[in-house]
Amino acid sequence: MFDFLEGYDVLGAFWTTVQLTLLSAVGSLVWGTILAGMRVSPVPLMRGFGTAYVNIVRNIPLTVIIVFTSLGLANVFGVTLGASGDFATMFFRLAVLGLSAYTATFVCEALRSGINTVPVGQAEAARAIGLSFTQVLTLIVLPQAFRTVIGPLANVLIALTKNTTVAAAIGVAEAAALMKTMIENEAQLLLIATIFALGFVVLTLPTGLLLGWLSKRLAVKR
Amino acid sequence: MTEVSVAKDVVAGTSDLVVLKSVNKHFGALHVLQDIDLTIATGEVVVVIGPSGSGKSTLCRTINRLEGVDSGEILIDGKPLPAEGKELARLRADVGMVFQSFNLFAHKTVLENVMLGQLKVRKTDKQKAEEKARALLDRVGVGTQADKYPAQLSGGQQQRVAIARALAMDPKVMLFDEPTSALDPEMINEVLEVMQQLARDGMTMVVVTHEMGFARSAANRVVFMADGRIVEEAVPDQFFSNPRSDRAKDFLSKILHH
Ligand SMILES: Nc1ncnc2c1ncn2[C@@H]1O[C@H](COP(=O)(O)OP(=O)(O)OP(=O)(O)O)[C@@H](O)[C@H]1O
Ligand SMILES: [Mg+2]
């Protein structure tokens, strides 16, 4: 019944999806945290940049951003991310860049709502013992903010996992790209779609469960 | 003549720890601090008292620059408060602050709360910081709670931890903004006793409180504020038994009738 799978590297394609997801998750978490820091910073220029970035990037369709990294960054400006000859690696890295840049805006906004749940007294007490702005943010405010937004961040991560399919637009051989190829060549359309749908559920379901559990465990008691 | 005046300046310089010179502050149209002149000597305990909204908290918060001022000057140990930045952070560490709502770091244990400033601001090594934190927690009577989280402690215990956290920075002066007004009555004394001991040990303290027992037994001076001004300053006994201003008389008659 599953003979048609022969000759297709389904696991390999999903492995690419996992790699896209994990690398973009790390990238967007780091960049999103920095953006959130900018948005609450006392320096007006940083606040302005953070606000502008989030409002612009969040509202551009992901496909456009991914295509831009390939057509704009790679073809026009010659950005190759250290993989000039190897197109597969280059487009993979550009996809990670695009996904991170886009997902960071959602991480930033989730974190910012978390920051708003931390009572101002926490930051004041931290300033009063002589901590600098960066220390107050990284030692006191962000750790508490993160714990309150693990749930929303899980949603961002799940959305990111599914959004990696957009990387197919610039030829990254992840799961959705393989599915398209298989659908063109094989007859078992419904079965193929079901396999890929299940594949994504297998990836995202544990994420949701694990982070849900963490969120309960790490909740800050006041 | 010149020699004499220089000598006098030097003496004043060493004994005046906190000096506010014609400090003014507005919140929008509200003039919360109006020409405040206040000098606090090393080792002195000053109680600030006054009706709600008179600017007591704001006064405390300007002394470690949690709030900026519009005009005037604030000196700590002879040095003017710098603008926001690294240097201000360092100076703030010399001014301990205890808040009405404790504000212990909710995601850190009691011990970590008292160690954090030592590690990150004073750059003390970890072992020394822990020893000092444990000693301070013992001193305020919560040594056995070191590994708990703030939410697991009673209000009185939390406030004593907050005092230990401030003391861990070896502050030159401690500010208390209504440290007992969020506490249940049976916990007020355990906190006041710690503060009284601190006063006996010679700590310079500015205490906003309506606890007259504390003011009478521990304070060198009472400062009475109303509508953003310092209306009256006197030794506690004189202030409570024989206030000069009508505002103070009126205020005292209200809190004494409780
Ligand atoms: N951040 C702020 N923005 C605007 N107005 C403020 C702010 N903080 C305080 N005020 C106002 O300034 C005035 C003085 O406030 P402050 O908290 O210093 O009074 P207080 O003497 O400590 O009163 P209480 O006994 O109620 O604590 C009040 O009218 C208050 O509403
Ligand atoms: Mg107040």
Side-chain angles (χ1 to χ4, degrees), chain A residues 42 119-136 138-144 147 218-222, chain B residues 61 64-67 84 86 89-90 92-93 95-97 99 102-108 113 116-117 120-121 123 151 165-166 169:
Chain A
V120 280
Q122 295 283 307
E124 287 196 336
R127 284 161 73 202
I129 59 170
L131 296 177
S132 66
F133 172 78
T134 320
Q135 288 176 320
V136 173
T138 54
L139 298 172
I140 305 300
V141 177
L142 282 177
Q144 295 188 44
R147 288 162 204 235
L218 293 179
V220 182
K221 293 181 187 62
R222 298 198 189 281
Chain B
R61 296 161 58 83
N64 67 354
R65 219 171 184 293
L66 283 177
E67 299 280 2
E84 201 72 38
K86 278 252 148 54
R90 209 171 319 125
R92 260 196 201 123
V95 180
M97 177 127 189
F99 302 85
F102 330 134
N103 295 349
L104 292 179
F105 306 133
H107 63 310
K108 296 201 173 285
N113 263 274
L116 187 74
K120 301 294 176 181
V121 179
K123 314 284 183 200
R165 177 176 66 181
M169 307 307 292

Short mmCIF file of all heavy atoms in Angstrom, two decimals, chain A residues 42 119-136 138-144 147 218-222, chain B residues 61 64-67 84 86 89-90 92-93 95-97 99 102-108 113 116-117 120-121 123 151 165-166 169:
data_model
loop_
_atom_site.label_atom_id
_atom_site.label_comp_id
_atom_site.label_asym_id
_atom_site.label_seq_id
_atom_site.Cartn_x
_atom_site.Cartn_y
_atom_site.Cartn_z
N PRO A 42 14.48 53.27 27.53
CA PRO A 42 14.27 54.70 27.75
C PRO A 42 14.80 55.56 26.59
O PRO A 42 14.53 56.74 26.55
CB PRO A 42 15.05 54.98 29.05
CG PRO A 42 16.03 53.87 29.18
CD PRO A 42 15.53 52.71 28.39
N PRO A 119 4.93 43.58 37.80
CA PRO A 119 4.63 44.83 38.52
C PRO A 119 5.79 45.82 38.47
O PRO A 119 6.95 45.40 38.53
CB PRO A 119 4.41 44.36 39.96
CG PRO A 119 4.13 42.90 39.89
CD PRO A 119 4.82 42.40 38.66
N VAL A 120 5.49 47.12 38.35
CA VAL A 120 6.56 48.12 38.25
C VAL A 120 7.48 48.09 39.47
O VAL A 120 8.65 48.41 39.36
CB VAL A 120 6.02 49.56 38.09
CG1 VAL A 120 5.62 49.83 36.67
CG2 VAL A 120 4.91 49.85 39.06
N GLY A 121 6.92 47.68 40.61
CA GLY A 121 7.73 47.61 41.83
C GLY A 121 8.94 46.72 41.67
O GLY A 121 9.98 46.95 42.30
N GLN A 122 8.84 45.67 40.84
CA GLN A 122 9.98 44.77 40.64
C GLN A 122 11.14 45.52 40.00
O GLN A 122 12.28 45.40 40.44
CB GLN A 122 9.56 43.60 39.72
CG GLN A 122 8.52 42.69 40.33
CD GLN A 122 9.11 41.76 41.37
OE1 GLN A 122 10.08 41.07 41.11
NE2 GLN A 122 8.55 41.77 42.57
N ALA A 123 10.85 46.30 38.97
CA ALA A 123 11.91 47.06 38.30
C ALA A 123 12.44 48.17 39.21
O ALA A 123 13.64 48.44 39.24
CB ALA A 123 11.40 47.65 36.99
N GLU A 124 11.55 48.78 39.99
CA GLU A 124 11.99 49.86 40.88
C GLU A 124 12.93 49.34 41.95
O GLU A 124 13.96 49.95 42.25
CB GLU A 124 10.78 50.54 41.53
CG GLU A 124 10.02 51.39 40.54
CD GLU A 124 9.09 52.35 41.23
OE1 GLU A 124 8.69 52.07 42.38
OE2 GLU A 124 8.76 53.37 40.61
N ALA A 125 12.57 48.19 42.54
CA ALA A 125 13.44 47.61 43.56
C ALA A 125 14.78 47.25 42.96
O ALA A 125 15.83 47.41 43.60
CB ALA A 125 12.77 46.38 44.17
N ALA A 126 14.76 46.78 41.72
CA ALA A 126 16.01 46.41 41.06
C ALA A 126 16.87 47.64 40.79
O ALA A 126 18.08 47.63 41.00
CB ALA A 126 15.73 45.67 39.75
N ARG A 127 16.22 48.74 40.35
CA ARG A 127 16.98 49.97 40.14
C ARG A 127 17.53 50.48 41.47
O ARG A 127 18.64 50.99 41.55
CB ARG A 127 16.09 51.05 39.53
CG ARG A 127 15.82 50.83 38.04
CD ARG A 127 14.60 51.60 37.60
NE ARG A 127 14.81 53.03 37.52
CZ ARG A 127 13.84 53.93 37.58
NH1 ARG A 127 12.59 53.55 37.71
NH2 ARG A 127 14.11 55.21 37.50
N ALA A 128 16.73 50.32 42.53
CA ALA A 128 17.12 50.87 43.83
C ALA A 128 18.37 50.18 44.40
O ALA A 128 19.09 50.79 45.18
CB ALA A 128 15.97 50.79 44.82
N ILE A 129 18.63 48.92 44.03
CA ILE A 129 19.87 48.31 44.53
C ILE A 129 21.04 48.58 43.60
O ILE A 129 22.13 48.07 43.80
CB ILE A 129 19.76 46.79 44.82
CG1 ILE A 129 19.36 46.01 43.57
CG2 ILE A 129 18.81 46.52 45.97
CD1 ILE A 129 19.48 44.51 43.75
N GLY A 130 20.81 49.38 42.56
CA GLY A 130 21.93 49.83 41.73
C GLY A 130 22.12 49.07 40.44
O GLY A 130 23.15 49.20 39.79
N LEU A 131 21.15 48.26 40.03
CA LEU A 131 21.28 47.55 38.76
C LEU A 131 21.07 48.53 37.61
O LEU A 131 20.27 49.45 37.70
CB LEU A 131 20.26 46.41 38.66
CG LEU A 131 20.40 45.27 39.68
CD1 LEU A 131 19.26 44.26 39.51
CD2 LEU A 131 21.73 44.57 39.56
N SER A 132 21.80 48.31 36.50
CA SER A 132 21.65 49.16 35.32
C SER A 132 20.39 48.76 34.55
O SER A 132 19.80 47.71 34.83
CB SER A 132 22.87 49.00 34.41
OG SER A 132 22.88 47.68 33.89
N PHE A 133 20.02 49.56 33.55
CA PHE A 133 18.81 49.25 32.79
C PHE A 133 18.87 47.85 32.18
O PHE A 133 17.92 47.07 32.28
CB PHE A 133 18.59 50.29 31.67
CG PHE A 133 17.46 49.91 30.74
CD1 PHE A 133 16.14 50.10 31.11
CD2 PHE A 133 17.73 49.31 29.51
CE1 PHE A 133 15.11 49.71 30.27
CE2 PHE A 133 16.70 48.93 28.66
CZ PHE A 133 15.39 49.13 29.05
N THR A 134 20.01 47.53 31.58
CA THR A 134 20.15 46.21 30.95
C THR A 134 20.04 45.09 31.99
O THR A 134 19.42 44.06 31.75
CB THR A 134 21.51 46.10 30.23
OG1 THR A 134 21.77 47.34 29.59
CG2 THR A 134 21.51 44.99 29.21
N GLN A 135 20.65 45.30 33.15
CA GLN A 135 20.56 44.29 34.21
C GLN A 135 19.13 44.13 34.72
O GLN A 135 18.67 43.01 34.95
CB GLN A 135 21.50 44.66 35.37
CG GLN A 135 22.97 44.47 35.05
CD GLN A 135 23.85 44.94 36.19
OE1 GLN A 135 23.60 45.95 36.84
NE2 GLN A 135 24.92 44.19 36.46
N VAL A 136 18.46 45.25 34.91
CA VAL A 136 17.07 45.18 35.37
C VAL A 136 16.25 44.36 34.38
O VAL A 136 15.47 43.47 34.76
CB VAL A 136 16.45 46.59 35.51
CG1 VAL A 136 14.97 46.50 35.82
CG2 VAL A 136 17.16 47.39 36.59
N THR A 138 17.36 42.11 31.99
CA THR A 138 17.75 40.71 31.79
C THR A 138 17.68 39.88 33.06
O THR A 138 17.48 38.67 32.98
CB THR A 138 19.19 40.62 31.21
OG1 THR A 138 20.07 41.34 32.07
CG2 THR A 138 19.26 41.20 29.82
N LEU A 139 17.84 40.49 34.23
CA LEU A 139 17.87 39.69 35.46
C LEU A 139 16.51 39.64 36.15
O LEU A 139 16.19 38.67 36.82
CB LEU A 139 18.88 40.26 36.45
CG LEU A 139 20.35 40.27 36.02
CD1 LEU A 139 21.20 41.04 37.01
CD2 LEU A 139 20.85 38.84 35.89
N ILE A 140 15.72 40.69 36.01
CA ILE A 140 14.48 40.76 36.79
C ILE A 140 13.24 40.72 35.89
O ILE A 140 12.36 39.88 36.08
CB ILE A 140 14.45 42.06 37.64
CG1 ILE A 140 15.70 42.15 38.52
CG2 ILE A 140 13.18 42.14 38.47
CD1 ILE A 140 15.89 41.01 39.51
N VAL A 141 13.17 41.61 34.91
CA VAL A 141 11.91 41.76 34.17
C VAL A 141 11.71 40.64 33.15
O VAL A 141 10.67 39.96 33.17
CB VAL A 141 11.83 43.15 33.50
CG1 VAL A 141 10.57 43.27 32.68
CG2 VAL A 141 11.88 44.25 34.55
N LEU A 142 12.70 40.40 32.28
CA LEU A 142 12.52 39.38 31.24
C LEU A 142 12.31 37.97 31.80
O LEU A 142 11.43 37.25 31.33
CB LEU A 142 13.67 39.42 30.23
CG LEU A 142 13.60 40.55 29.21
CD1 LEU A 142 14.82 40.53 28.30
CD2 LEU A 142 12.33 40.46 28.37
N PRO A 143 13.09 37.54 32.80
CA PRO A 143 12.83 36.18 33.32
C PRO A 143 11.40 36.00 33.82
O PRO A 143 10.80 34.94 33.63
CB PRO A 143 13.82 36.06 34.49
CG PRO A 143 14.91 37.02 34.17
CD PRO A 143 14.25 38.16 33.45
N GLN A 144 10.84 37.05 34.43
CA GLN A 144 9.45 36.93 34.89
C GLN A 144 8.49 37.02 33.71
O GLN A 144 7.48 36.32 33.67
CB GLN A 144 9.14 38.01 35.92
CG GLN A 144 9.94 37.86 37.20
CD GLN A 144 9.50 38.81 38.29
OE1 GLN A 144 8.32 39.01 38.53
NE2 GLN A 144 10.46 39.43 38.95
N ARG A 147 8.21 33.69 31.76
CA ARG A 147 7.40 32.65 32.41
C ARG A 147 5.91 32.86 32.19
O ARG A 147 5.16 31.90 32.15
CB ARG A 147 7.69 32.63 33.91
CG ARG A 147 9.05 32.05 34.20
CD ARG A 147 9.49 32.44 35.59
NE ARG A 147 10.95 32.39 35.65
CZ ARG A 147 11.63 31.68 36.54
NH1 ARG A 147 10.99 30.99 37.45
NH2 ARG A 147 12.94 31.67 36.52
N LEU A 218 6.68 26.68 35.80
CA LEU A 218 7.54 27.83 36.03
C LEU A 218 6.78 29.10 36.43
O LEU A 218 7.39 30.13 36.64
CB LEU A 218 8.37 28.13 34.76
CG LEU A 218 9.40 27.08 34.38
CD1 LEU A 218 10.12 27.48 33.10
CD2 LEU A 218 10.41 26.89 35.50
N ALA A 219 5.46 28.98 36.53
CA ALA A 219 4.66 30.17 36.84
C ALA A 219 5.21 30.88 38.09
O ALA A 219 5.55 30.24 39.08
CB ALA A 219 3.21 29.78 37.07
N VAL A 220 5.31 32.22 38.01
CA VAL A 220 5.81 33.01 39.14
C VAL A 220 4.67 33.22 40.12
O VAL A 220 3.62 33.73 39.76
CB VAL A 220 6.33 34.38 38.66
CG1 VAL A 220 6.89 35.17 39.82
CG2 VAL A 220 7.39 34.19 37.60
N LYS A 221 4.88 32.82 41.37
CA LYS A 221 3.85 33.05 42.37
C LYS A 221 4.04 34.40 43.01
O LYS A 221 5.14 34.79 43.33
CB LYS A 221 3.88 31.94 43.42
CG LYS A 221 3.49 30.63 42.81
CD LYS A 221 3.47 29.49 43.79
CE LYS A 221 3.23 28.19 43.07
NZ LYS A 221 4.31 27.87 42.09
N ARG A 222 2.94 35.15 43.16
CA ARG A 222 3.05 36.48 43.76
C ARG A 222 2.25 36.53 45.07
O ARG A 222 1.31 35.86 45.23
CB ARG A 222 2.52 37.54 42.81
CG ARG A 222 3.31 37.57 41.55
CD ARG A 222 3.13 38.87 40.78
NE ARG A 222 3.73 38.77 39.48
CZ ARG A 222 5.05 38.91 39.26
NH1 ARG A 222 5.84 39.17 40.27
NH2 ARG A 222 5.54 38.77 38.07
N ARG B 61 11.60 59.12 46.82
CA ARG B 61 12.01 58.60 45.52
C ARG B 61 12.96 59.54 44.80
O ARG B 61 13.75 59.10 43.97
CB ARG B 61 10.78 58.31 44.67
CG ARG B 61 9.90 57.19 45.27
CD ARG B 61 8.50 57.20 44.71
NE ARG B 61 8.50 57.07 43.27
CZ ARG B 61 8.59 55.90 42.64
NH1 ARG B 61 8.63 54.79 43.32
NH2 ARG B 61 8.63 55.86 41.34
N ASN B 64 16.85 58.89 45.83
CA ASN B 64 17.70 57.98 45.06
C ASN B 64 17.37 58.04 43.57
O ASN B 64 17.69 57.15 42.80
CB ASN B 64 17.65 56.55 45.59
CG ASN B 64 16.31 55.91 45.39
OD1 ASN B 64 15.37 56.57 44.95
ND2 ASN B 64 16.21 54.65 45.70
N ARG B 65 16.73 59.10 43.20
CA ARG B 65 16.46 59.44 41.80
C ARG B 65 15.64 58.39 41.06
O ARG B 65 15.80 58.21 39.86
CB ARG B 65 17.76 59.72 41.06
CG ARG B 65 17.61 60.87 40.08
CD ARG B 65 18.95 61.28 39.51
NE ARG B 65 18.84 62.44 38.64
CZ ARG B 65 18.23 62.47 37.47
NH1 ARG B 65 17.63 61.41 37.01
NH2 ARG B 65 18.19 63.57 36.75
N LEU B 66 14.77 57.70 41.76
CA LEU B 66 13.76 56.92 41.05
C LEU B 66 12.84 57.90 40.34
O LEU B 66 12.21 57.58 39.34
CB LEU B 66 12.95 56.05 42.02
CG LEU B 66 13.64 54.77 42.53
CD1 LEU B 66 12.78 54.05 43.52
CD2 LEU B 66 14.02 53.86 41.38
N GLU B 67 12.77 59.13 40.87
CA GLU B 67 12.10 60.25 40.19
C GLU B 67 13.13 61.36 40.00
O GLU B 67 13.89 61.65 40.92
CB GLU B 67 10.96 60.81 41.05
CG GLU B 67 9.86 59.85 41.37
CD GLU B 67 8.85 59.67 40.24
OE1 GLU B 67 9.04 60.30 39.16
OE2 GLU B 67 7.90 58.90 40.43
N GLU B 84 20.72 59.98 34.66
CA GLU B 84 20.57 58.54 34.41
C GLU B 84 21.83 57.95 33.77
O GLU B 84 22.46 58.57 32.93
CB GLU B 84 19.37 58.31 33.48
CG GLU B 84 18.78 56.92 33.52
CD GLU B 84 18.02 56.63 34.80
OE1 GLU B 84 17.34 57.53 35.32
OE2 GLU B 84 18.11 55.50 35.28
N LYS B 86 25.31 54.77 34.19
CA LYS B 86 26.10 53.84 35.03
C LYS B 86 26.42 54.45 36.39
O LYS B 86 26.32 53.80 37.42
CB LYS B 86 27.42 53.50 34.32
CG LYS B 86 27.29 52.39 33.28
CD LYS B 86 27.94 51.11 33.77
CE LYS B 86 27.24 49.87 33.24
NZ LYS B 86 27.12 49.88 31.76
N ALA B 89 23.56 54.51 38.73
CA ALA B 89 23.30 53.19 39.26
C ALA B 89 24.21 52.91 40.46
O ALA B 89 23.77 52.39 41.48
CB ALA B 89 23.50 52.13 38.17
N ARG B 90 25.48 53.28 40.34
CA ARG B 90 26.42 53.04 41.44
C ARG B 90 26.01 53.84 42.67
O ARG B 90 26.04 53.34 43.79
CB ARG B 90 27.84 53.42 40.99
CG ARG B 90 28.90 52.61 41.70
CD ARG B 90 30.28 52.83 41.09
NE ARG B 90 30.27 52.87 39.64
CZ ARG B 90 30.77 53.89 38.94
NH1 ARG B 90 31.28 54.94 39.54
NH2 ARG B 90 30.75 53.85 37.62
N ARG B 92 23.08 54.92 43.44
CA ARG B 92 21.84 54.38 43.98
C ARG B 92 22.09 53.23 44.94
O ARG B 92 21.36 53.03 45.90
CB ARG B 92 20.97 53.85 42.85
CG ARG B 92 19.91 54.80 42.47
CD ARG B 92 18.88 54.06 41.65
NE ARG B 92 18.15 55.01 40.87
CZ ARG B 92 18.06 54.98 39.55
NH1 ARG B 92 18.63 54.01 38.87
NH2 ARG B 92 17.39 55.90 38.92
N ALA B 93 23.12 52.46 44.64
CA ALA B 93 23.44 51.32 45.49
C ALA B 93 23.80 51.78 46.90
O ALA B 93 23.66 51.04 47.86
CB ALA B 93 24.57 50.50 44.88
N VAL B 95 22.26 54.08 48.45
CA VAL B 95 21.03 54.53 49.09
C VAL B 95 20.05 53.35 49.11
O VAL B 95 19.54 52.95 48.08
CB VAL B 95 20.41 55.72 48.32
CG1 VAL B 95 19.13 56.18 49.00
CG2 VAL B 95 21.40 56.86 48.21
N GLY B 96 19.85 52.77 50.26
CA GLY B 96 18.95 51.62 50.37
C GLY B 96 17.51 52.09 50.37
O GLY B 96 17.21 53.17 50.86
N MET B 97 16.63 51.27 49.76
CA MET B 97 15.22 51.68 49.77
C MET B 97 14.33 50.50 50.13
O MET B 97 14.51 49.40 49.61
CB MET B 97 14.84 52.23 48.39
CG MET B 97 13.39 52.62 48.28
SD MET B 97 13.23 54.30 47.68
CE MET B 97 11.49 54.58 47.90
N PHE B 99 10.29 49.46 50.33
CA PHE B 99 9.01 49.91 49.80
C PHE B 99 7.84 49.41 50.64
O PHE B 99 7.93 48.37 51.29
CB PHE B 99 8.83 49.38 48.37
CG PHE B 99 9.90 49.80 47.41
CD1 PHE B 99 11.09 49.10 47.31
CD2 PHE B 99 9.73 50.91 46.59
CE1 PHE B 99 12.08 49.47 46.42
CE2 PHE B 99 10.72 51.30 45.69
CZ PHE B 99 11.90 50.57 45.61
N PHE B 102 7.00 45.79 49.63
CA PHE B 102 8.15 44.87 49.72
C PHE B 102 8.94 44.77 48.42
O PHE B 102 10.15 44.93 48.42
CB PHE B 102 7.75 43.46 50.18
CG PHE B 102 6.55 43.38 51.09
CD1 PHE B 102 5.54 42.46 50.89
CD2 PHE B 102 6.44 44.26 52.17
CE1 PHE B 102 4.45 42.40 51.74
CE2 PHE B 102 5.36 44.21 53.03
CZ PHE B 102 4.35 43.28 52.80
N ASN B 103 8.23 44.41 47.32
CA ASN B 103 8.89 44.30 46.00
C ASN B 103 10.07 43.35 46.00
O ASN B 103 11.09 43.61 45.37
CB ASN B 103 9.36 45.68 45.51
CG ASN B 103 8.21 46.62 45.25
OD1 ASN B 103 7.06 46.20 45.24
ND2 ASN B 103 8.50 47.88 45.06
N LEU B 104 9.96 42.23 46.70
CA LEU B 104 11.01 41.21 46.57
C LEU B 104 10.92 40.62 45.17
O LEU B 104 9.82 40.51 44.61
CB LEU B 104 10.83 40.12 47.63
CG LEU B 104 11.08 40.56 49.06
CD1 LEU B 104 10.83 39.41 50.03
CD2 LEU B 104 12.48 41.10 49.24
N PHE B 105 12.07 40.21 44.61
CA PHE B 105 12.08 39.63 43.27
C PHE B 105 11.35 38.28 43.32
O PHE B 105 11.82 37.34 43.95
CB PHE B 105 13.51 39.49 42.75
CG PHE B 105 14.28 40.78 42.80
CD1 PHE B 105 15.55 40.84 43.32
CD2 PHE B 105 13.69 41.96 42.35
CE1 PHE B 105 16.25 42.04 43.38
CE2 PHE B 105 14.37 43.16 42.39
CZ PHE B 105 15.65 43.20 42.92
N ALA B 106 10.22 38.21 42.65
CA ALA B 106 9.30 37.08 42.84
C ALA B 106 9.84 35.77 42.31
O ALA B 106 9.44 34.71 42.78
CB ALA B 106 7.97 37.41 42.17
N HIS B 107 10.76 35.82 41.34
CA HIS B 107 11.26 34.58 40.74
C HIS B 107 12.55 34.12 41.38
O HIS B 107 13.18 33.19 40.89
CB HIS B 107 11.45 34.77 39.24
CG HIS B 107 12.48 35.82 38.89
ND1 HIS B 107 12.48 37.07 39.44
CD2 HIS B 107 13.56 35.77 38.08
CE1 HIS B 107 13.51 37.77 38.96
NE2 HIS B 107 14.18 36.98 38.13
N LYS B 108 12.97 34.77 42.45
CA LYS B 108 14.22 34.38 43.11
C LYS B 108 13.95 34.04 44.57
O LYS B 108 13.04 34.58 45.18
CB LYS B 108 15.22 35.54 43.02
CG LYS B 108 15.62 35.85 41.59
CD LYS B 108 16.93 36.60 41.52
CE LYS B 108 17.42 36.76 40.10
NZ LYS B 108 17.99 35.55 39.54
N ASN B 113 17.60 36.86 46.53
CA ASN B 113 17.22 38.27 46.61
C ASN B 113 18.30 39.09 47.31
O ASN B 113 18.61 40.19 46.88
CB ASN B 113 15.90 38.40 47.39
CG ASN B 113 14.70 38.50 46.48
OD1 ASN B 113 14.35 39.58 46.04
ND2 ASN B 113 14.08 37.37 46.19
N LEU B 116 21.79 39.09 45.08
CA LEU B 116 21.83 39.61 43.71
C LEU B 116 22.64 40.91 43.57
O LEU B 116 23.52 41.02 42.72
CB LEU B 116 20.41 39.81 43.17
CG LEU B 116 20.37 40.18 41.70
CD1 LEU B 116 20.69 38.98 40.83
CD2 LEU B 116 19.02 40.76 41.31
N GLY B 117 22.31 41.89 44.39
CA GLY B 117 22.99 43.18 44.29
C GLY B 117 24.48 43.07 44.59
O GLY B 117 25.31 43.69 43.93
N LYS B 120 25.99 41.40 41.36
CA LYS B 120 25.91 42.11 40.08
C LYS B 120 26.34 43.56 40.15
O LYS B 120 26.72 44.14 39.15
CB LYS B 120 24.47 42.04 39.53
CG LYS B 120 23.97 40.63 39.30
CD LYS B 120 24.74 39.93 38.21
CE LYS B 120 24.27 38.49 38.07
NZ LYS B 120 25.03 37.78 37.03
N VAL B 121 26.21 44.18 41.32
CA VAL B 121 26.57 45.59 41.43
C VAL B 121 27.92 45.75 42.14
O VAL B 121 28.82 46.41 41.65
CB VAL B 121 25.49 46.39 42.19
CG1 VAL B 121 25.89 47.85 42.32
CG2 VAL B 121 24.16 46.27 41.46
N LYS B 123 29.99 43.24 42.71
CA LYS B 123 30.92 42.23 42.18
C LYS B 123 31.62 41.44 43.28
O LYS B 123 32.79 41.08 43.17
CB LYS B 123 31.98 42.88 41.26
CG LYS B 123 31.40 43.87 40.25
CD LYS B 123 30.72 43.17 39.10
CE LYS B 123 30.23 44.17 38.06
NZ LYS B 123 29.21 43.66 37.20
N ALA B 151 6.72 34.57 47.85
CA ALA B 151 5.28 34.34 48.02
C ALA B 151 4.97 33.36 49.14
O ALA B 151 3.84 33.28 49.63
CB ALA B 151 4.69 33.85 46.70
N ARG B 165 17.93 42.83 52.08
CA ARG B 165 18.39 43.03 50.70
C ARG B 165 19.03 44.41 50.53
O ARG B 165 20.07 44.56 49.89
CB ARG B 165 17.21 42.89 49.73
CG ARG B 165 17.57 43.15 48.28
CD ARG B 165 16.42 42.91 47.35
NE ARG B 165 15.33 43.87 47.54
CZ ARG B 165 14.20 43.85 46.84
NH1 ARG B 165 14.01 42.91 45.93
NH2 ARG B 165 13.26 44.74 47.07
N ALA B 166 18.40 45.42 51.14
CA ALA B 166 18.95 46.77 51.04
C ALA B 166 20.26 46.87 51.83
O ALA B 166 21.24 47.47 51.37
CB ALA B 166 17.94 47.79 51.55
N MET B 169 23.88 45.93 50.46
CA MET B 169 24.68 46.82 49.62
C MET B 169 25.55 47.76 50.46
O MET B 169 26.21 48.63 49.91
CB MET B 169 23.77 47.66 48.72
CG MET B 169 22.75 46.88 47.89
SD MET B 169 23.51 45.59 46.91
CE MET B 169 24.43 46.58 45.75
#
